[in-house]
Amino acid sequence: MVLNPVLGKLVSKRVVLASASPRRQEILTNVGLRFEVVPSWFKETLEKSSFTAPYEYAVETAKQKALEVANRMHIKHMRTPDIVIGADTIVSVDKQILEKPVDKQDAYRMLSRLNGKEHSVFTGVAIIHCHSKDNQLEMEVTDFYEETKVKFSELSEELLWEYIHSGEPMDKAGGYGIQALGGMLVEYVHGDFLNVVGFPLNHFCKKLAELYYLPSKHNIQHKKYDSIPSVDTFENLSDGESSNFTERKVASKLDHSGMHSSGAAYTSENTSAVRTGFTVPLENQNAVSQSAPKLPSKILELMDGFRASKALFVASKLKIFDHLKDKGPTKAVDIANYVGASVCGTERLLDACASLGLLEKTPQGYSNTDSANTYLTSDGKYSLHGYIIHSNDHLWPLFTNLEFAVKEGSRQNHRAFGKKADDLFKDYYHRQEVKQRFMAAMHSIARLTARDVATAFDLSQFKSACDLGGCTGALAYELVQVYPNLKVTVFDLPEVIANTSYFQPSGQHTAPVTFVSGDFFKDNLPEADLYILSRVLHDWPDEKIHVLLSKISAVCKPGSALLVAETVLDEQKTHPSVAVLQSLSMTEGKQRSSSEYKQLLEKYGFTDVQIKITGNLLDAVLCFKKNLSL
Ligand SMILES: Cc1cn([C@H]2C[C@H](O)[C@@H](COP(=O)(O)OP(=O)(O)OP(=O)(O)O)O2)c(=O)[nH]c1=O
């Protein structure tokens, strides 16, 4: 969501972040900015002694990083970006500049210098507006810096080495990351915290406000690389105040050849114009004041959502995240060879994944982000791979026929798969690969939600539980970990039970979990103090639910309980949207609100209905059987 009109100004523009830093990507993504990531190849080798102050070095490096990307994109005949953002973060102590350590000794040297002292973190930022005119690239450069003061506590050698061995210092200026373990070293921070993490967001927004909103150039008091912006705030700006930033452009001597032109560059104002290879004043440029309507960023995001989903699905299907797991940066051509796909197509897909924050791209190649390693590789404990493949192979074709589903009021299995719903359901259990895909999908969601469901209520009073339709046993295994005295029976169809061994967790005592096959609509239910229905009720029509809840109610002894795990809708039934959207492809079942679950469960003799919204994909409903028989 774009919270203020300043960032809204960038929504329709092709914005490129010339940085490989995952922190910068995250900071800008978090505020709803949409951008591509093209890491800069500019080597951070400017001669430090030629700068009179450390921040000048950071500003110049940021500028050179952004200029390199803007030029490269233009030369490679990629569509010229509208805006390129570059940044460089340095740590400065005793007038010395510390960048990223090259090895552990270097990290130790840096951290020892910071130990017990206050230092400054400077981030230089360059915003380059690009125009392609007669195939010539014109660029207008705006830059600024932000300073934050940070003080380290007195730290022991042992602690410093322990921190270094954590591996965290290596890709961070000054050899520490304040946002993670390094935060423990810090006594205080004066100034913008995000500036330390790599991007001064507040100053950036103020700078955009200056560029896009200040009424005329006469009002601008450009300061010589002043870290204090001309605007105090970027709030309450309306498009009525908008003006084209080129109105306020001033020419300056800026050399973008990659070398810092000592003396000249830092007497310039902080907005300047560059034509590739030349310095061009912009004072005569036409400046048209535009008042555009507020950009519907949410709608734009939805319009594009399908592309992003499909890129994720295809990369998962091709097992790109598996291939990159535990690997250093890998070139597109090697990935293409591995997956047996075209190099150009693979490169496009990899770039799309990088722009979505699923991969990191550096000049050395592509690598998994942390979340790709955790959630997108197929063998991770919390892997969503199974559900992603199910979404691609099963849900995508159904949603392609959504228009028919809405018009005809029925699920579109016949159109999507050439089969009726019943035949398809049989496929889940009879065709091996379909069955495994379905089980892997259910397993993905169960793993991700199991801890929150298991701990939503204190279940330690129960000695035995029966998870009806418990599939791979993911929730059961979590329950016996949380409640060591509990024994859980997983009850599911024979075809499912026959395939559960593949999903058994390794390195866990599995004896308290047993698997029993049967049909919960027809067969006797195993005895238990606690029955569990996880993601079952929403799937079935009222008649089937009647059969199931009547059976459970009948076997429940007084004091026994039923735990239901479902996404609980709000009373208006419009949130959470993940559940409302799921309803679009449902046949006979439905999602329910808190009051509907309460009403339903009370109807079958359950009382004390308690509902816990977990914040995860599944919520939990617990109710108890009183001495009532139906
Ligand atoms: C001091 C500090 C730095 N950092 C990071 C921010 C930057 O990513 C990095 C400094 O290196 P930079 O050279 O500024 O950036 P980068 O190499 O990560 O990415 P690129 O050059 O492609 O833009 O240190 C933290 O994450 N936490 C901290 O507390």
Side-chain angles (χ1 to χ4, degrees):
M1 186 172 65
V2 175
L3 281 174
N4 64 70
V6 178
L7 287 179
K9 285 283 163 203
L10 305 187
V11 170
S12 60
K13 299 192 185 331
R14 187 184 187 198
V15 180
V16 168
L17 177 65
S19 173
S21 163
R23 277 80 52 175
R24 290 190 184 118
Q25 292 168 26
E26 197 178 333
I27 290 168
L28 291 171
T29 304
N30 283 347
V31 291
L33 190 69
R34 294 170 69 87
F35 55 88
E36 293 158 50
V37 176
V38 181
S40 181
W41 295 352
F42 177 75
K43 297 261 178 301
E44 297 171 31
T45 51
L46 295 174
E47 180 49 52
K48 295 190 180 69
S49 61
S50 68
F51 296 90
T52 47
Y55 65 81
E56 292 180 352
Y57 172 83
V59 169
E60 187 62 26
T61 305
K63 196 156 49 189
Q64 296 305 336
K65 284 182 184 179
L67 287 169
E68 187 279 320
V69 168
N71 276 310
R72 178 154 42 98
M73 293 185 79
H74 178 70
I75 290 163
K76 277 185 76 181
H77 299 295
M78 298 193 239
R79 196 159 65 81
T80 306
D82 297 314
I83 295 170
V84 179
I85 302 164
D88 190 62
T89 302
I90 55 161
V91 163
S92 168
V93 60
D94 307 328
K95 294 234 163 72
Q96 291 280 310
I97 293 173
L98 308 182
E99 293 181 279
K100 288 168 285 192
V102 289
D103 55 25
K104 287 187 173 177
Q105 272 304 331
D106 199 24
Y108 174 72
R109 190 181 57 81
M110 290 183 181
L111 290 167
S112 309
R113 295 190 65 170
L114 303 177
N115 200 357
K117 275 200 262 174
E118 185 183 270
H119 63 268
S120 289
V121 180
F122 293 103
T123 299
V125 176
I127 306 168
I128 303 193
H129 285 83
C130 307
H131 320 262
S132 186
K133 204 170 164 193
D134 304 330
N135 217 20
Q136 282 264 36
L137 177 63
E138 290 183 357
M139 293 180 280
E140 292 139 24
V141 184
T142 302
D143 49 44
F144 64 90
Y145 75 92
E146 182 70 35
E147 176 178 8
T148 304
K149 295 210 186 288
V150 178
K151 180 166 185 265
F152 270 30
S153 298
E154 294 282 355
L155 306 162
S156 66
E157 294 276 300
E158 195 194 354
L159 195 140
L160 287 186
W161 276 111
E162 200 186 320
Y163 179 54
I164 291 164
H165 291 315
S166 74
E168 189 177 281
M170 298 321 291
D171 62 341
K172 311 214 171 51
Y176 72 97
I178 197 167
Q179 67 274 30
L181 293 175
M184 292 192 273
L185 318 179
V186 169
E187 202 166 285
Y188 65 69
V189 178
H190 289 161
D192 182 354
F193 180 85
L194 291 182
N195 184 49
V196 184
V197 184
F199 199 79
L201 183 64
N202 182 273
H203 196 153
F204 175 71
C205 290
K206 286 174 180 163
K207 192 52 80 178
L208 291 181
E210 266 180 37
L211 290 173
Y212 289 97
Y213 286 92
L214 281 187
S216 87
K217 63 181 171 188
H218 310 294
N219 292 349
I220 299 178
Q221 312 255 306
H222 281 297
K223 299 178 180 81
K224 181 189 165 191
Y225 283 115
D226 201 333
S227 77
I228 303 164
S230 314
V231 294
D232 296 334
T233 180
F234 46 85
E235 283 183 281
N236 306 323
L237 298 170
S238 75
D239 281 324
E241 296 168 66
S242 166
S243 62
N244 190 310
F245 76 96
T246 55
E247 269 184 286
R248 301 177 302 285
K249 206 55 68 253
V250 285
S252 77
K253 298 180 188 125
L254 179 80
D255 177 348
H256 87 288
S257 61
M259 294 299 294
H260 164 60
S261 46
S262 176
Y266 288 96
T267 55
S268 67
E269 306 229 25
N270 64 357
T271 301
S272 53
V274 179
R275 186 193 289 269
T276 310
F278 307 96
T279 302
V280 184
L282 286 176
E283 275 160 349
N284 297 332
Q285 283 206 355
N286 263 350
V288 184
S289 190
Q290 292 171 347
S291 75
K294 220 169 156 198
L295 272 151
S297 49
K298 179 82 190 170
I299 294 175
L300 294 176
E301 202 177 299
L302 291 175
M303 268 163 52
D304 236 26
F306 76 100
R307 287 185 228 262
S309 302
K310 196 66 184 177
L312 167 66
F313 296 170
V314 174
S316 297
K317 214 150 184 193
L318 294 175
K319 298 231 171 162
I320 286 176
F321 305 108
D322 280 344
H323 182 56
L324 293 178
K325 191 182 176 191
D326 302 326
K327 259 211 183 116
T330 309
K331 296 276 182 216
V333 61
D334 297 328
I335 301 171
N337 280 341
Y338 167 78
V339 300
S342 72
V343 178
C344 64
T346 305
E347 196 164 13
R348 272 185 220 129
L349 179 65
L350 295 169
D351 282 344
C353 290
S355 83
L356 294 170
L358 306 175
L359 294 177
E360 276 169 30
K361 184 181 181 187
T362 60
Q364 289 74 42
Y366 299 86
S367 37
N368 278 350
T369 55
D370 289 347
S371 67
N373 274 328
T374 309
Y375 301 111
L376 301 180
T377 53
S378 60
D379 58 354
K381 186 174 176 194
Y382 297 105
S383 170
L384 286 169
H385 183 82
Y387 198 78
I388 290 169
I389 300 303
H390 173 70
S391 302
N392 183 69
D393 293 358
H394 185 74
L395 299 177
W396 183 271
L398 278 178
F399 273 78
T400 304
N401 289 291
L402 182 60
E403 191 181 330
F404 292 110
V406 171
K407 285 183 178 159
E408 295 166 15
S410 60
R411 193 165 153 135
Q412 296 298 311
N413 295 306
H414 53 297
R415 281 201 172 86
F417 309 106
K419 290 186 177 183
K420 288 202 223 106
D422 279 354
D423 296 336
L424 204 68
F425 201 69
K426 279 181 206 143
D427 267 5
Y428 282 159
Y429 297 107
H430 297 303
R431 272 183 50 210
Q432 190 63 15
E433 94 274 3
V434 179
K435 178 167 51 191
Q436 286 212 322
R437 190 187 72 207
F438 181 64
M439 287 179 71
M442 297 307 110
H443 187 74
S444 287
I445 300 299
R447 279 268 4 118
L448 198 70
T449 52
R451 179 54 62 125
D452 284 329
V453 170
T455 56
F457 300 101
D458 179 5
L459 304 175
S460 54
Q461 60 186 297
F462 302 107
K463 298 278 168 285
S464 60
C466 176
D467 189 357
L468 298 164
C471 199
T472 64
L475 177 57
Y477 289 121
E478 191 70 41
L479 281 164
V480 298
Q481 282 221 307
V482 178
Y483 306 102
N485 296 326
L486 187 67
K487 297 205 173 355
V488 185
T489 307
V490 176
F491 188 78
D492 213 316
L493 293 169
E495 308 83 68
V496 175
I497 299 294
N499 283 276
T500 53
S501 56
Y502 173 78
F503 298 96
Q504 211 167 310
S506 53
Q508 189 186 325
H509 181 49
T510 53
V513 177
T514 45
F515 289 84
V516 172
S517 51
D519 180 335
F520 53 47
F521 290 121
K522 297 184 190 140
D523 299 323
N524 289 335
L525 305 181
E527 273 193 22
D529 305 335
L530 175 70
Y531 286 91
I532 300 168
L533 288 172
S534 181
R535 301 189 86 211
V536 172
L537 292 182
H538 77 260
D539 255 343
W540 299 101
D542 291 346
E543 319 82 77
K544 291 271 195 188
I545 287 187
H546 173 71
V547 173
L548 183 58
L549 288 181
S550 305
K551 278 182 82 167
I552 299 172
S553 182
V555 292
C556 260
K557 298 187 188 82
S560 300
L562 171 62
L563 177 71
V564 173
E566 291 283 356
T567 314
V568 177
L569 295 179
D570 67 356
E571 291 306 320
Q572 257 195 321
K573 302 217 241 173
T574 53
H575 287 98
S577 65
V578 65
V580 182
L581 292 174
Q582 200 187 358
S583 303
L584 283 172
S585 59
M586 278 167 39
T587 352
E588 303 158 299
K590 60 175 179 240
Q591 310 280 11
R592 292 174 173 80
S593 66
S594 297
S595 60
E596 286 175 325
Y597 275 117
K598 193 165 182 296
Q599 214 179 2
L600 177 71
L601 295 164
E602 285 176 349
K603 191 170 149 199
Y604 292 92
F606 292 97
T607 55
D608 296 340
V609 181
Q610 302 161 45
I611 294 174
K612 197 73 163 257
I613 304 297
T614 64
N616 200 320
L617 287 175
L618 292 183
D619 303 309
V621 183
L622 183 67
C623 52
F624 291 83
K625 182 72 199 304
K626 285 276 146 62
N627 212 356
L628 286 168
S629 56
L630 288 173

